[in-house]
Amino acid sequence: MLQKKPTCGRARSLHVAKTDTHGMPGIPNGGTNAVGIGTAASMMKGSTNAMLPLALALLAACMAPCADAGAAFNVTRLIASQAKVTNITYGNSGESYAGSLPTEIGMLTDVKVVNLNEIALTGTLPTQLGSITKLSYGNGGCLGANALTGTIPTQLGRWSDYEHYFTVTANQLTGTMPTELGQLSKLTYGFGASSNQFSSALPTELGNLVQMTDGLWQIESGFTSTVPSEIGRLVNMNSNFWLYSNQFTGALPSELGNIVSMVTSFSVNNNAFSKAIPTQVGRLISIESGVRLDQNSFSQAIPTQLGNMVDITSVLYLKDNSFTSSMPTEFGRFSKLESGISWTLNSITGNLPSQLGMLTCVTESFNVHTSYVKGENSSTLPTEIGQLTGIASRLQIYGRHLTGPIPSELGRLTALGTYFSLYGNSFSGTLPSELGNLATMSSYFNLYGNTINGPLPSELGQLSNMYKYLYLYSNNLSGTLPTEIGNLVSMVSQLNLGYNSLSGVIPTELGDVVTLKAGLKLENNKLSGSIPTELGKFTKLAKYLKLQSNSLSSALPSELGNLASLNTFFGVNSNQLCSDVPTELAALSSSMTDWLVTTENSLGTVCGWIEDSRFPAAGSTTATALDYHGDNIYGTLPTQFGLLTDITSFSIWDNYLSGPIPTELGNLVESEEDFWMSRNSFTGQLPTQLGKLVAMSSSISVRDNDLSGTLPSQLGRLQLAAGLYLYGNKFTAVPTELGYMSEMQSEFSLYSNLLSSTVPTQLGNLVKMTSALRLSWNPMSGSVPSELGQLTDFRFTFRLDETSASGSMPTQLGQLVQMSSYFLFSKNSLSAAIPTQLGQLSQMSSYFYLYSNSFSGAVPTQLGQLGQLSYGFCVYDNKIGGTIPTELAQMTGIQQYFDLMQNSLTGPIPTEFGNLAALNSYFRLQHNSLDSTVPTELGNIPLYIDQTLNNNRLTGTVPTEIGQSGMIKQGVYFNSNSLTGTLPTQLGNVNLYNNMKFHSNKLSGAIPTQLGNLVRLATGFNLTMNKLCSDVPTEVEALSSGLATGEFLINEGNDLGTDCCDSLPDVYTCSPSPAPTVMPTYWCDDGAYMASDGTCTTCAIGR
């Protein structure tokens, strides 16, 4: 689900690349009042002008030895001077004071600040440092970034009044960290002992440093054992908690969850922690930078409570552990996370949560690779990952055994630049073309080891910035290699598409990737054709050229000898290669580690000759017939077939032959029977030499290949040929000379090519044609030649549909009076009136299609003479006007289509259409301007698909007889007319599955309850925009449950729920209200009253 993009936090680095000048991050340099580089007048706290001579003498005593590089400061002179020294600050000066600390330093008991950071001190720390017990503020306790050795003196625990920070970071200290350091309970800043060589546990007493507010830095110091639970008492610490890169073991103390004021980062990575991560860690909700728990041995489930740390902006690393169970959906709450997320090398089960798509601030990386999914349920990649559009470096989700398709939404990650790695899963389905949008990808595009099928999208050619590795090997990819692969002109390392099912030829454009150095691997596919000479342009290729185990044929190109840098692997074995190995190429074998060439090839044989015992021996001239259709033959056609000059019949159709048709086949001049080469993969032009086969009296077929170019005019010399089958290629023009094939009888088929010329008038000379003339599905232009009307023996198929033919239809076509099957001129640009002469095609029994043109005028009454039509009469989608001729009702045998829709027809619907008693599929008159009532006779048509009369000007009532067409299944369309009256109850008899539409009329009255019988209705129930009234019958309302949303439409524009007599008082009269009952009036005369029995009684005296 798309979420509002959160306000992303500023990404912070979780680790400092170089320890700063104090060995602790963020600690300020020492101030004045110092011995060392401080100002002379302020060396001693409380110095006055009267004491200036002593101060200058003290400065001279210190600075004299310090001025010499490598000299240690002279503590003895400081003591002898009896100066009250309070600040020893030599640290961070950029100078080097080599040597060790003298033991006499312990005599400077008034010192409050000791800053000896980064001055190249050596030796051990003197125990006497513990005598400087007045350390209390400033930069005191800074001994980091030197070369000190030995142990930390226990006496440093006497610095119990020290209030700032303590650091011995970046030395070579060893041994045990003293427990006495826990006495520094007034520390308010930080405690750092990183980058040493301790070999002890972290003292539990460090838990006493409860006033410390900044950080605990114990990095790369060799600490062992468990982390004391007492560390959880440091509840005031608000900066960094760093224990990474030690040798801590055991469980992480749950008490660490008490340090809730921690703001910056929490890092315990690179240790040997085990067991579960305490759920209490999820209480550290103030952390803003990062959390690193990676490279340990944590196990069990990842606590869902970690999802409460919603302010993390930098990194969340859980990689290299042994977590089990599923990944918490709560991790979708890390909406401010910017730098990266990593859960690699775990044993996570279940699906990746779709909520991860909410991490839209991530800009660096998203890594969950080799976190094996082990659950019973397969795991798919959520489409929501495509919402992480800010990722600029890595998307790595490999080795998880994910299933299902690769989401096309990943194509939205257009900022991704380095890694796109989904390898080692079980993805299936096709490769989304949208991945071509990742145009900034440069290093690793890696999808190998899945089960992806289908073609290689040509859009991958848009990855023109790729220069390292494009890996798609070991999948189930099929189809041809797109030529756009040649656009990967920046590729330097390796292009690996091996172990798939790719077929077709190797594109010559691949040779444009001239920068390729490491390898081109296309082995173990189904590639065919010859090896392109352009591969010889890989002059920088140094390691691999793998083309073995394909179906490559022809000779090895000598240009491969240009690969002089190749020295590791050259493989072309297990193909169908022939001829001799070029000497230029053979010269490379001596420098090659692996040279795989001759095995399972036909090298050394005549190239192209089919090695099969059934074929004539190479060079044979005695064979008279060849028939090897459907024998699964691969390779190119041998030129040596031209030597078989006695052949009279040549049939090699329905195989896998490729390459050009040899011109030498023109030598087979004795061929007079079938010459069939169809249904192969031949390319190039049809040889002009085939025009020499003048004895051919049967048919020539090269249909369904990949031939191209202009048809040779020389084919016109084959005047005896009975049939010409050239369809399903890419021919571009029809020569007029084909009109000379005067004996053509059976079929002249050129449909499904790229013919752009006009139809030659000379085709009218093929007067013996009886079967089929097929020129459809070509971009042919110009008018239809009137000369085609000379083919008066024509009987079966005349197809000129789906071309760009224009102009009027020749009246001469009405002379084809023997036509009986297909007359198809649909989807062109023909105009003017339909010739009345077409009514002479009275033998037509199947298809008469003139639809989707621009015919105008009226429908000729003569078309009613096509009374034998049994399949379809379609003249829809034209500009025909006038009334519908009643004569069309004479097509009483028509069964499938009667279609006049989308014209400009006016007037009535002929009642005679009720005679179309065989019509059982489509009766379509919609989108005209018909303005009559609906004939009741239409109920006689036994339709079972649809009846469409919508979008006309029909008036009157809906005939009850429409309900007699009880078998209609697909649609009853009467909408958008001006129909009045009530809906017939008989409509409930229709066996309708889809679409009952009566909306946008003037229908009134109640909805019949019988419409509730339409229980099979699945789509399209629309009665809106009428004048319907009264309540909706519950039976009709029940239909809505079976219809898709938005398909049950009845309320809009009606008065449903209102009594019809109220909404239409002019049509419906309400029954009068019953008169009130008149009660009789009773009274008695004066002096009497009415008794309980209803009688008048004389009043007694006194009443």
Side-chain angles (χ1 to χ4, degrees):
M1 180 176 66
L2 292 174
Q3 301 290 327
K4 180 180 179 181
K5 185 174 179 65
T7 302
C8 301
R10 180 176 60 86
R12 305 179 182 178
S13 176
L14 183 55
H15 299 300
V16 179
K18 178 181 181 296
T19 305
D20 70 8
T21 54
H22 290 54
M24 294 176 64
I27 298 176
N29 291 336
T32 57
N33 296 339
V35 172
I37 309 302
T39 304
S42 60
M43 286 184 181
M44 298 172 291
K45 183 178 180 181
S47 61
T48 62
N49 289 338
M51 299 178 65
L52 185 57
L54 176 60
L56 292 175
L58 182 58
L59 177 61
C62 174
M63 294 301 290
C66 291
D68 298 326
F73 56 87
N74 197 322
V75 176
T76 303
R77 293 187 183 183
L78 290 175
I79 296 170
S81 68
Q82 298 183 356
K84 190 176 182 181
V85 178
T86 61
N87 188 334
I88 302 176
T89 300
Y90 281 76
N92 312 110
S93 65
E95 300 291 342
S96 177
Y97 302 91
S100 60
L101 282 174
T103 58
E104 291 84 355
I105 195 171
M107 300 177 66
L108 302 176
T109 55
D110 290 323
V111 168
K112 295 184 178 182
V113 175
V114 175
N115 184 354
L116 301 176
N117 276 323
E118 204 172 354
I119 59 173
L121 291 174
T122 60
T124 61
L125 288 169
T127 59
Q128 289 80 356
L129 276 175
S131 299
I132 308 177
T133 58
K134 294 183 181 180
L135 283 179
S136 61
Y137 67 93
N139 289 351
C142 290
L143 299 167
N146 286 291
L148 298 169
T149 59
T151 60
I152 298 176
T154 60
Q155 290 80 356
L156 297 191
R158 298 174 185 173
W159 295 357
S160 56
D161 289 331
Y162 181 50
E163 298 177 354
H164 203 48
Y165 61 86
F166 175 87
T167 176
V168 291
T169 294
N171 281 287
Q172 300 170 25
L173 299 171
T174 58
T176 301
M177 178 173 282
T179 60
E180 289 79 0
L181 295 182
Q183 298 172 22
L184 310 183
S185 58
K186 294 184 180 181
L187 282 181
T188 58
Y189 195 80
F191 185 96
S194 302
S195 300
N196 283 287
Q197 301 169 20
F198 300 116
S199 57
S200 67
L202 203 62
T204 60
E205 289 77 4
L206 294 186
N208 298 330
L209 311 183
V210 294
Q211 296 187 50
M212 194 162 59
T213 60
D214 191 63
L216 181 68
W217 298 278
Q218 312 295 322
I219 310 164
E220 297 177 350
S221 295
F223 289 114
T224 60
S225 190
T226 58
V227 173
S229 61
E230 289 79 359
I231 300 298
R233 297 169 56 193
L234 308 182
V235 295
N236 291 311
M237 192 161 55
N238 59 22
S239 181
N240 298 301
F241 184 87
W242 289 356
L243 299 181
Y244 66 87
S245 297
N246 284 288
Q247 300 171 35
F248 290 119
T249 59
L252 199 64
S254 61
E255 290 80 1
L256 298 184
N258 297 331
I259 313 176
V260 295
S261 59
M262 195 183 308
V263 173
T264 307
S265 60
F266 180 83
S267 296
V268 296
N269 51 294
N270 290 82
N271 283 290
F273 289 117
S274 58
K275 301 184 180 179
I277 295 176
T279 59
Q280 291 83 349
V281 174
R283 297 173 57 193
L284 308 181
I285 60 176
S286 297
I287 292 180
E288 296 179 356
S289 182
V291 173
R292 291 198 60 171
L293 300 165
D294 52 294
Q295 295 176 294
N296 283 288
S297 297
F298 289 121
S299 58
Q300 303 181 39
I302 300 174
T304 59
Q305 290 82 353
L306 296 187
N308 297 331
M309 306 164 78
V310 296
D311 287 330
I312 295 176
T313 62
S314 183
V315 295
L316 175 65
Y317 282 177
L318 301 174
K319 65 180 180 179
D320 298 349
N321 282 290
S322 300
F323 294 119
T324 57
S325 78
S326 59
M327 189 178 294
T329 59
E330 290 79 0
F331 279 13
R333 299 174 183 172
F334 299 130
S335 58
K336 297 181 182 179
L337 191 63
E338 288 188 355
S339 292
I341 192 162
S342 181
W343 295 302
T344 63
L345 297 173
N346 284 290
S347 299
I348 298 171
T349 62
N351 289 326
L352 283 174
S354 60
Q355 290 82 353
L356 297 182
M358 299 169 65
L359 310 184
T360 54
C361 286
V362 173
T363 59
E364 180 64 24
S365 60
F366 184 91
N367 299 327
V368 292
H369 56 81
T370 50
S371 298
Y372 291 100
V373 176
K374 295 183 177 180
E376 294 181 1
N377 298 324
S378 61
S379 178
T380 58
L381 185 59
T383 59
E384 290 80 359
I385 300 298
Q387 297 169 196
L388 309 182
T389 54
I391 297 178
S393 180
R394 300 168 183 249
L395 179 71
Q396 298 188 113
I397 314 179
Y398 57 80
R400 283 187 52 87
H401 300 302
L402 294 171
T403 60
I406 294 175
S408 61
E409 289 79 358
L410 298 188
R412 298 171 57 194
L413 308 182
T414 54
L416 199 61
T418 308
Y419 286 83
F420 181 80
S421 295
L422 303 180
Y423 68 85
N425 286 290
S426 298
F427 287 120
S428 57
T430 58
L431 198 60
S433 60
E434 290 81 356
L435 297 185
N437 297 333
L438 309 183
T440 57
M441 281 296 303
S442 62
S443 297
Y444 293 87
F445 187 91
N446 197 341
L447 298 176
Y448 81 80
N450 285 286
T451 57
I452 304 168
N453 54 45
L456 194 64
S458 61
E459 288 80 0
L460 293 188
Q462 299 171 21
L463 306 181
S464 56
N465 290 312
M466 283 295 302
Y467 73 94
K468 279 194 174 180
Y469 300 98
L470 195 150
Y471 284 169
L472 288 167
Y473 65 92
S474 295
N475 279 287
N476 294 325
L477 295 170
S478 59
T480 59
L481 279 171
T483 58
E484 290 80 0
I485 202 167
N487 296 336
L488 305 178
V489 292
S490 299
M491 284 292 295
V492 173
S493 295
Q494 192 173 127
L495 176 61
N496 192 338
L497 301 174
Y499 292 91
N500 281 289
S501 296
L502 297 168
S503 59
V505 299
I506 299 175
T508 58
E509 290 81 358
L510 187 55
D512 294 337
V513 191
V514 295
T515 53
L516 206 58
K517 290 183 179 180
L520 173 65
K521 297 182 179 182
L522 300 175
E523 76 273 22
N524 288 84
N525 278 288
K526 298 178 181 179
L527 299 170
S528 58
S530 58
I531 298 174
T533 60
E534 287 77 5
L535 298 192
K537 294 156 64 174
F538 293 155
T539 56
K540 297 179 181 179
L541 195 64
K543 289 189 176 182
Y544 303 100
L545 180 62
K546 291 190 172 186
L547 304 177
Q548 70 269 22
S549 299
N550 280 288
S551 297
L552 298 170
S553 57
S554 194
L556 283 164
S558 60
E559 287 80 0
L560 294 183
N562 297 333
L563 310 184
S565 299
L566 193 63
N567 57 24
T568 303
F569 193 103
F570 181 86
V572 293
N573 56 297
S574 300
N575 280 289
Q576 298 165 20
L577 300 171
C578 52
S579 192
D580 296 324
V581 179
T583 56
E584 299 91 337
L585 179 57
L588 302 181
S589 62
S590 60
S591 60
M592 209 70 61
T593 303
D594 291 289
W595 176 259
L596 306 178
V597 175
T598 58
T599 305
E600 296 186 41
N601 276 308
S602 299
L603 294 168
T605 65
V606 177
C607 207
W609 196 264
I610 301 171
E611 296 296 326
D612 190 311
S613 59
R614 302 169 300 170
F615 282 81
S620 169
T621 59
T622 61
T624 58
L626 281 178
D627 186 359
Y628 297 102
H629 74 274
D631 278 358
N632 295 315
I633 302 171
Y634 290 82
T636 58
L637 195 61
T639 59
Q640 289 82 355
F641 269 111
L643 301 176
L644 308 179
T645 54
D646 291 334
I647 281 182
T648 59
S649 176
F650 186 75
S651 180
I652 56 170
W653 61 284
D654 198 16
N655 282 292
Y656 299 94
L657 295 166
S658 59
I661 295 176
T663 59
E664 289 80 358
L665 295 188
N667 297 330
L668 309 184
V669 294
E670 298 296 325
S671 297
E672 58 182 9
E673 300 176 20
D674 291 332
F675 191 89
W676 283 18
M677 306 175 68
S678 53
R679 296 180 65 178
N680 282 286
S681 297
F682 291 121
T683 57
Q685 292 189 319
L686 197 63
T688 59
Q689 290 81 355
L690 295 186
K692 295 160 61 177
L693 308 183
V694 294
M696 179 61 58
S697 60
S698 184
S699 58
I700 294 179
S701 178
V702 293
R703 66 180 176 89
D704 294 319
N705 279 286
D706 201 21
L707 298 167
S708 58
T710 303
L711 283 169
S713 61
Q714 290 82 352
L715 292 183
R717 301 173 185 171
L718 310 183
Q719 298 182 16
L720 301 179
L724 187 63
Y725 300 82
L726 306 178
Y727 60 86
N729 284 286
K730 297 176 182 177
F731 295 125
T732 56
V734 183
T736 58
E737 288 82 358
L738 296 188
Y740 300 151
M741 305 176 76
S742 55
E743 296 297 319
M744 185 72 63
Q745 296 180 18
S746 58
E747 184 160 342
F748 185 93
S749 288
L750 284 169
Y751 67 90
S752 292
N753 276 286
L754 300 175
L755 302 175
S756 58
S757 59
T758 59
V759 179
T761 59
Q762 291 81 356
L763 296 187
N765 298 331
L766 308 181
V767 293
K768 294 185 178 180
M769 284 282 294
T770 61
S771 183
L773 174 63
R774 306 186 189 195
L775 299 173
S776 52
W777 302 332
N778 281 293
M780 304 183 79
S781 59
S783 60
V784 179
S786 60
E787 289 81 357
L788 296 183
Q790 300 171 21
L791 310 181
T792 54
D793 288 339
F794 209 73
R795 297 178 184 176
F796 298 108
T797 301
F798 195 154
R799 296 197 61 167
L800 196 60
D801 51 313
E802 297 193 48
T803 72
S804 297
S806 58
S808 60
M809 178 172 282
T811 59
Q812 291 83 351
L813 295 186
Q815 300 171 19
L816 309 182
V817 294
Q818 298 190 60
M819 281 287 300
S820 63
S821 294
Y822 297 85
F823 189 83
L824 307 183
F825 282 77
S826 53
K827 293 189 176 182
N828 286 295
S829 298
L830 298 171
S831 58
I834 298 174
T836 59
Q837 290 83 352
L838 295 187
Q840 300 173 26
L841 308 182
S842 58
Q843 301 299 314
M844 287 293 300
S845 62
S846 293
Y847 300 83
F848 184 87
Y849 284 180
L850 302 180
Y851 65 85
S852 297
N853 280 285
S854 296
F855 287 119
S856 57
V859 179
T861 58
Q862 291 83 351
L863 295 185
Q865 300 173 27
L866 308 181
Q868 296 190 41
L869 279 178
S870 62
Y871 191 86
F873 176 80
C874 296
V875 293
Y876 65 85
D877 191 19
N878 280 287
K879 301 177 181 179
I880 300 170
T883 59
I884 302 175
T886 58
E887 288 82 355
L888 298 187
Q890 298 172 21
M891 302 179 186
T892 55
I894 202 162
Q895 299 177 21
Q896 297 291 316
Y897 290 92
F898 187 90
D899 200 333
L900 293 169
M901 68 175 180
Q902 291 178 281
N903 279 289
S904 299
L905 298 169
T906 59
I909 299 173
T911 59
E912 290 83 353
F913 280 172
N915 298 330
L916 303 179
L919 186 60
N920 56 29
S921 294
Y922 297 92
F923 181 77
R924 293 176 172 174
L925 300 178
Q926 73 264 33
H927 289 281
N928 281 288
S929 297
L930 300 173
D931 53 11
S932 66
T933 59
V934 180
T936 59
E937 290 81 358
L938 296 188
N940 299 332
I941 304 176
L943 294 170
Y944 72 89
I945 294 186
D946 70 21
Q947 185 172 63
T948 55
L949 302 178
N950 55 284
N951 292 86
N952 280 287
R953 300 174 183 174
L954 299 174
T955 58
T957 61
V958 179
T960 58
E961 289 80 1
I962 297 301
Q964 295 174 194
S965 301
M967 294 303 293
I968 295 180
K969 296 181 178 180
Q970 294 302 321
V972 175
Y973 299 88
F974 281 62
N975 56 284
S976 303
N977 282 289
S978 297
L979 299 171
T980 57
T982 60
L983 284 168
T985 59
Q986 290 82 354
L987 290 178
N989 299 332
V990 179
N991 190 28
L992 199 60
Y993 290 176
N994 297 298
N995 299 311
M996 174 167 279
K997 297 191 175 183
F998 282 88
H999 60 277
S1000 301
N1001 279 288
K1002 299 178 182 179
L1003 299 168
S1004 60
I1007 298 174
T1009 57
Q1010 290 82 352
L1011 295 189
N1013 296 335
L1014 305 178
V1015 293
R1016 293 184 176 87
L1017 196 64
T1019 58
F1021 184 83
N1022 195 338
L1023 304 179
T1024 60
M1025 308 307 293
N1026 281 288
K1027 298 180 180 180
L1028 300 173
C1029 49
S1030 191
D1031 294 329
V1032 179
T1034 55
E1035 296 89 342
V1036 176
E1037 189 71 44
L1039 297 179
S1040 63
S1041 61
L1043 295 170
T1045 303
E1047 294 288 330
F1048 184 79
L1049 304 172
I1050 58 173
N1051 291 312
E1052 183 183 359
N1054 287 304
D1055 291 313
L1056 297 172
T1058 303
D1059 285 341
C1060 292
C1061 62
D1062 291 335
S1063 60
L1064 298 170
D1066 295 337
V1067 180
Y1068 297 93
T1069 302
C1070 295
S1071 300
S1073 301
T1077 303
V1078 179
M1079 298 298 296
T1081 304
Y1082 296 97
W1083 66 90
C1084 294
D1085 294 333
D1086 293 341
Y1089 68 94
M1090 185 172 290
S1092 60
D1093 59 358
T1095 60
C1096 292
T1097 305
T1098 302
C1099 296
I1101 297 174
R1103 294 190 66 177

